[in-house]
């Protein structure tokens, strides 16, 4: 079929494809070249922006095949998580914007409804695609429509219970729904090749009354020495069907098909066309095997191939390194835990599919039999740890703040009510930059500080984090939480010998008069910079580090309130967290009934912030140095402060 624009054959195919409609004018034999161009384009883009490269490289052929066969956006396509959606975005009229990927006012790293009509459902956390797709399929049926609904879910996301809940429901409802299982946990297995692809094509093309009918089709495909023996063909067909019928998916009401080679674009297109055109009286699960990171430019093996990368040199594969020499909070946690575990064999570590992201890969290398990666199963991780703690072990559960939300009931019911000493390390607390609102650790202080009998800590720097990890290892009165941000520390020295921090006790870092800033977590660095700016102008303020969001250091809070005219409480968390509890304490105790005094709380804004750098997000929320100075400028008459300095 000729290209509708009669574009010269020398023009790259990808330049001819602005949206999925343009794909329809390409020949099937052109799709391999298109996939090569798409893969190269994606590598070039991510080398400049950073992002989730490996997953997207693995589904290039799958993305092309789906858009080639189905009529998106009328046919709904839901990508689970969104890590693998970059090829999809390039094909859906966003290629010219991909250089803004994960930057302020640019393209999101995940699917996003407000960004494109080709993103019918937003994603950021895993294992939601089947549930959402089933809801869309039921809505289609209720509204009398006839469009297709396709959900793509990775094998990693299938470790979450929610995926099986959705499959179980889908099997019972018996509606027309296509679920594509993107299996990239292994290289192409022997069973995945020409024969399997051929059988999947045959079986998907039309119904068969018995195995013998399939065998007749197989005879033409098999080598001569096998094809001449019809019985052998019949046995192969029977084995194929028995494997299909024996899967957990078929037992849950699905028509299972596969596995097929996810990089054989011709077979993919043919099978998807059969499934699209067929009359399906129940959901179909198509098992596609792909290679994660296929065509990745890195010349050496790297775990980065399999998830996210920073900006990198497209020739050497070397990542663009930070100019700072400060260690990351993640590394400080990991190194401290390993150091403590050498002397305490009761310490274990648990993560939910993020060993590298949480730093626990280092723990796993040293203490293999004490490390547990439970997959994308945060609920199980929490209750699993609770069981360990009930028997006297010391489990450390390292989970991103945003992902602990998925296990909130287990935190309350299985840990907090039973006062079990599970140690929770919440990485990526606060703003996370390029990953945006879905990954921001905005709410942990709010949803944890309301729980009775818990300890919630937030380090102001990397040395404080090391002390808090050590303190957690020795705390046995109940659950203890430590939340810390993404990124690098401030460059302070880590003490060789660690000691416990007294539970619920903060500290005054600098004593001044008039104005006091009580900071929780790493916003202390901004408070100290403000203190230095104002000191030059002859204004000495008090800066205190709360350390604990719960229990509140009531003595410190009363002291700061009674001894200063103005009090500012700052935290990198949503309204309802630490500062709200401080206000409740002061109000309930009658301390606020003093004339001439004023208190302000600086929190994250009551809205979701899109992806940008962490610095940009903090500035927008007013939680940086400028934000603090503006608040002080508003609280204190200009006669007491140098207007020029405050507003600079």
């Amino acid at each position: 079929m000729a290209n509708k624009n009669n574009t010269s054959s020398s023009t790259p195919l990808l330049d001819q494809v602005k949206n999925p409609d343009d794909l329809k004018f390409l020949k099937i034999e052109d799709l391999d070249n298109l996939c090569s161009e798409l893969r190269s384009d994606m590598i070039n883009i991510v080398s400049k922006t950073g992002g989730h490269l490996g997953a997207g490289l693995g589904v290039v052929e799958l993305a092309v095949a789906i858009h080639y066969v189905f009529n998106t956006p009328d046919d709904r396509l839901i990508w689970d998580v969104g890590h693998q959606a970059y090829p999809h975005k390039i094909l859906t009229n966003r290629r010219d914007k991909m250089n803004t990927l994960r930057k302020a006012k640019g393209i999101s790293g995940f699917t996003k409804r407000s960004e494109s009509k080709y993103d019918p459902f937003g994603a950021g956390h895993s294992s939601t695609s089947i549930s959402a797709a089933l809801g869309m399929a039921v809505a289609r049926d209720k509204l009398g429509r006839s469009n297709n609904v396709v959900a793509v879910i990775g094998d990693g996301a299938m470790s979450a219970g929610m995926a099986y809940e959705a499959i179980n429901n889908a099997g019972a409802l018996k509606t027309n729904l296509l679920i594509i299982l993107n299996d990239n946990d292994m290289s192409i297995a022997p069973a995945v090749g020409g024969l399997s692809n051929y059988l999947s094509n045959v079986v998907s093309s039309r119904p068969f009354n018995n195995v013998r009918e399939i065998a007749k089709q197989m005879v033409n495909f098999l080598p001569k020495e096998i094809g001449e023996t019809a019985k052998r063909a019949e046995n192969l067909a029977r084995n194929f069907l028995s494997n299909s019928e024996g899967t957990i998916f078929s037992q849950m009401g699905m028509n299972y098909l596969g596995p097929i080679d996810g990089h054989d674009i011709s077979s993919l297109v043919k099978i998807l066309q059969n499934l699209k055109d067929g009359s399906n009286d129940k959901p179909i699960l198509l098992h596609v095997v792909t290679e994660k990171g296929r065509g990745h430019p890195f010349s050496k093996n790297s775990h980065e191939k399999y998830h996210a990368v920073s900006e990198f040199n497209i020739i050497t594969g070397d990542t663009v390194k930070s100019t700072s020499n400060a260690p990351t909070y993640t590394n400080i946690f990991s190194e401290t835990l390993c150091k403590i575990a050498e002397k305490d064999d009761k310490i274990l570590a648990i993560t939910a599919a993020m060993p590298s992201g949480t730093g626990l890969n280092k723990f796993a290398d040293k203490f293999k039999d004490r490390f547990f990666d439970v997959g994308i199963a945060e609920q199980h991780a929490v209750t699993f740890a609770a069981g360990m703690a009930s028997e006297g072990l010391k489990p450390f559960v390292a989970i991103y703040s945003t992902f602990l939300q998925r296990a909130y009931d287990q935190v309350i019911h299985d840990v907090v009510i039973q006062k079990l000493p599970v140690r929770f390390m919440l990485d990526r607390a606060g703003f996370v930059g390029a990953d945006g609102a879905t990954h921001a650790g905005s709410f942990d202080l709010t949803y944890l500080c309301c729980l009775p009998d818990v300890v919630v800590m937030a380090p102001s720097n990397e040395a404080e984090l090391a002390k808090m990890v050590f303190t957690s290892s020795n705390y046995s009165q109940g659950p203890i939480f430590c939340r810390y941000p993404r990124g690098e520390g401030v460059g302070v020295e880590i003490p060789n010998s660690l000691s416990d921090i007294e539970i619920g006790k903060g500290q005054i870092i600098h004593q001044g008069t008039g104005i006091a800033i009580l900071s929780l977590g790493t916003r202390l660095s901004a408070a100290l910079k403000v203190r230095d700016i104002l000191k030059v102008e002859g204004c000495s303020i008090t800066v205190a580090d709360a350390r604990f969001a719960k229990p509140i250091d009531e003595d410190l809070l009363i002291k700061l309130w009674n001894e200063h005219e103005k009090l500012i409480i700052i935290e990198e968390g949503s309204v309802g967290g630490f500062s709200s509890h401080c206000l409740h304490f002061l109000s309930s105790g009658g301390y606020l009934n003093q004339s001439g005094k004023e208190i302000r709380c600086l929190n994250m804004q009551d809205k979701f912030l899109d992806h940008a750098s962490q610095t940009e997000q903090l500035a927008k929320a007013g939680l940086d140095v400028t934000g603090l100075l503006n608040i002080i400028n508003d609280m204190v008459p200009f006669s007491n402060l140098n207007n020029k300095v405050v507003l600079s």
Side-chain angles (χ1 to χ4, degrees):
M1 184 179 296
N3 186 281
K4 65 177 180 179
N5 295 322
N6 296 317
T7 306
S8 169
S9 59
S10 62
T11 303
L13 292 171
L14 190 57
D15 290 348
Q16 302 175 36
V17 178
K18 303 300 181 183
N19 57 61
D21 288 340
D22 295 333
L23 281 173
K24 309 294 193 287
F25 293 88
L26 298 179
K27 300 176 182 178
I28 291 181
E29 51 265 33
D30 292 331
L31 298 184
D32 272 324
N33 288 335
L34 175 68
C35 290
S36 295
E37 293 177 13
L38 178 54
R39 187 169 272 113
S40 296
D41 195 60
M42 184 179 151
I43 291 170
N44 183 57
I45 290 165
V46 178
S47 72
K48 299 179 176 67
T49 65
H52 295 90
L53 181 58
L57 289 175
V59 298
V60 167
E61 288 81 7
L62 183 59
V64 169
I66 291 173
H67 283 297
Y68 186 79
V69 171
F70 290 95
N71 299 316
T72 56
D74 291 335
D75 287 336
R76 308 293 192 246
L77 172 58
I78 303 97
W79 296 92
D80 202 275
V81 185
H83 291 158
Q84 70 276 57
Y86 294 1
H88 158 78
K89 293 197 173 202
I90 293 172
L91 294 171
T92 53
N93 206 30
R94 284 172 275 184
R95 185 187 179 198
D96 61 343
K97 300 177 184 176
M98 290 297 287
N99 63 322
T100 67
L101 183 68
R102 293 157 43 95
K103 297 179 180 178
K105 299 181 180 180
I107 294 291
S108 170
F110 307 96
T111 54
K112 191 174 182 181
R113 281 173 55 85
S114 61
E115 184 178 291
S116 172
K117 63 182 180 180
Y118 293 98
D119 294 355
F121 200 81
H125 292 189
S126 82
S127 315
T128 63
S129 61
I130 303 177
S131 296
L134 180 59
M136 292 178 183
V138 169
R140 172 202 61 205
D141 298 342
K142 296 295 183 184
L143 296 171
R145 298 170 181 163
S146 59
N147 59 290
N148 293 281
V149 180
V150 181
V152 182
I153 185 168
D155 58 300
M158 289 296 292
S159 64
M162 183 177 179
Y164 293 94
E165 293 173 13
I167 288 174
N168 183 58
N169 191 203
L173 291 177
K174 292 182 169 49
T175 188
N176 181 17
L177 170 66
L178 174 59
I179 300 168
I180 299 177
L181 171 57
N182 174 34
D183 183 354
N184 58 27
D185 194 39
M186 56 185 177
S187 59
I188 302 301
V192 184
L195 178 59
S196 183
N197 289 350
Y198 176 78
L199 287 174
S200 296
N201 186 25
V202 168
V203 173
S204 65
S205 63
R206 59 185 183 277
F208 288 87
N209 293 324
N210 53 51
V211 170
R212 289 184 182 275
E213 290 188 22
I214 300 178
K216 290 178 182 178
Q217 294 288 328
M218 290 176 60
V219 167
N220 297 325
F221 179 79
L222 296 172
K224 184 176 181 180
E225 61 272 19
I226 297 178
E228 289 176 348
T229 307
K231 185 65 179 177
R232 181 67 183 274
E234 183 176 326
N235 288 338
L236 286 172
R238 193 179 304 280
N239 289 336
F240 177 83
L241 287 185
S242 65
N243 287 337
S244 299
E245 293 170 357
T247 67
I248 185 175
F249 308 113
S250 58
Q251 296 299 316
M252 295 176 75
M254 298 273 159
N255 279 330
Y256 173 85
L257 193 63
I260 66 171
D261 184 349
H263 301 296
D264 184 341
I265 188 72
S266 296
S267 292
L268 274 175
V269 167
K270 292 175 183 177
I271 292 167
L272 289 176
Q273 285 174 334
N274 291 337
L275 296 178
K276 176 189 176 185
D277 298 335
S279 177
N280 305 314
D281 59 352
K282 60 181 178 179
I284 295 174
L285 189 137
L286 177 62
H287 184 175
V288 177
V289 178
T290 62
E291 178 192 354
K292 194 169 188 178
R294 186 178 181 88
H296 201 291
F298 288 6
S299 58
K300 55 184 180 295
N301 290 330
S302 171
H303 70 274
E304 291 175 320
K305 169 182 177 180
Y306 300 104
H307 194 58
V309 295
S310 303
E311 298 173 33
F312 62 89
N313 185 301
I314 200 168
I315 304 299
T316 65
D318 294 330
T319 58
V320 178
K321 298 185 182 298
S322 168
T323 56
S324 171
N325 293 320
T328 65
Y329 285 96
T330 299
N331 284 338
I332 292 299
F333 155 66
S334 175
E335 292 168 3
T336 305
L337 186 64
C338 289
K339 181 178 179 181
I340 298 171
E342 290 175 355
K343 300 178 181 179
D344 190 343
D345 60 8
K346 289 188 176 182
I347 289 178
L348 307 98
I350 302 168
T351 187
M354 293 299 293
S356 297
T358 60
L360 286 183
N361 55 327
K362 297 178 181 178
F363 187 95
D365 290 341
K366 293 187 177 182
F367 310 101
K368 185 176 181 180
D369 61 336
R370 291 153 63 184
F371 168 75
F372 302 89
D373 183 351
V374 302
I376 303 176
E378 291 84 1
Q379 293 173 312
H380 165 61
V382 171
T383 305
F384 180 48
M388 291 179 172
S390 71
E391 294 295 321
L393 296 178
K394 297 181 177 181
F396 276 74
V397 182
I399 295 180
Y400 289 6
S401 167
T402 185
F403 295 147
L404 189 64
Q405 296 164 184
R406 298 162 67 96
Y408 190 51
D409 181 66
Q410 286 68 29
V411 168
I412 296 172
H413 187 271
D414 299 334
V415 178
V416 177
I417 288 178
Q418 301 187 88
K419 297 185 179 180
L420 290 171
V422 177
R423 291 86 176 162
F424 291 93
M425 299 289 120
L426 306 188
D427 203 329
R428 271 60 168 184
F431 290 119
V432 294
D435 283 335
T438 60
H439 283 57
S442 307
F443 309 112
D444 55 80
L445 290 170
T446 300
Y447 69 68
L448 293 176
C449 288
C450 62
L451 302 178
D453 302 317
V454 301
V455 175
V456 182
M457 305 179 289
S460 56
N461 55 50
E462 53 268 51
E464 286 289 296
L465 174 57
K467 294 175 186 176
M468 289 179 180
V469 175
F470 184 80
T471 301
S472 298
S473 70
N474 294 322
Y475 186 75
S476 59
Q477 283 70 54
I480 187 167
F481 300 82
C482 180
R483 52 113 59 183
Y484 46 95
R486 179 180 194 170
E488 298 166 342
V490 297
V492 301
E493 186 176 350
I494 310 297
N496 292 325
S497 179
L498 298 174
S499 57
D500 285 340
I501 299 174
E502 184 179 354
I503 298 297
K505 289 299 177 183
Q507 57 183 346
I508 292 178
I509 307 300
H510 290 289
Q511 182 67 56
T513 59
I515 303 172
I517 300 175
L518 176 60
S519 170
L520 178 73
T522 55
R523 289 301 81 218
L524 182 69
S525 61
L528 291 174
K529 289 178 182 177
V530 167
R531 181 250 181 191
D532 292 340
I533 291 172
L534 297 183
K535 184 179 179 180
V536 172
E537 299 302 309
C539 180
S540 176
I541 66 172
T542 296
V543 177
D545 180 7
R547 282 181 164 176
F548 292 87
K550 191 165 187 177
I552 292 172
D553 188 340
E554 297 175 356
D555 293 337
L556 175 61
L557 183 58
I558 293 171
K559 177 181 175 66
L560 294 175
W561 177 248
N562 285 339
E563 295 181 0
H564 299 81
E565 295 178 2
K566 313 291 181 182
L567 174 60
I568 299 170
I569 304 175
I570 183 171
E571 61 182 313
E572 195 175 337
S574 64
V575 174
F578 171 62
S579 58
S580 297
H581 284 264
C582 289
L583 284 175
H584 179 267
F585 170 76
L586 292 173
S587 176
S588 299
Y591 295 100
L592 295 182
N593 299 325
Q594 300 181 37
S595 61
K597 289 184 176 289
E598 185 178 4
I599 186 169
R600 298 283 188 96
C601 299
L602 292 183
N603 303 80
M604 287 182 168
Q605 294 170 300
D606 189 24
K607 62 181 180 181
F608 293 105
L609 289 189
D610 285 335
H611 46 278
S613 70
Q614 286 172 276
T615 300
E616 289 171 317
Q617 290 173 331
L618 287 167
K620 191 168 184 178
L623 295 177
D624 61 352
V625 171
T626 300
L628 266 173
L629 287 172
N630 286 338
I631 289 294
I632 293 173
N633 184 51
D634 189 54
M635 296 173 74
V636 179
F638 286 125
S639 59
N640 292 356
L641 288 175
N642 185 301
N643 189 26
K644 180 179 179 181
V645 172
V646 172
L647 294 178
S648 65

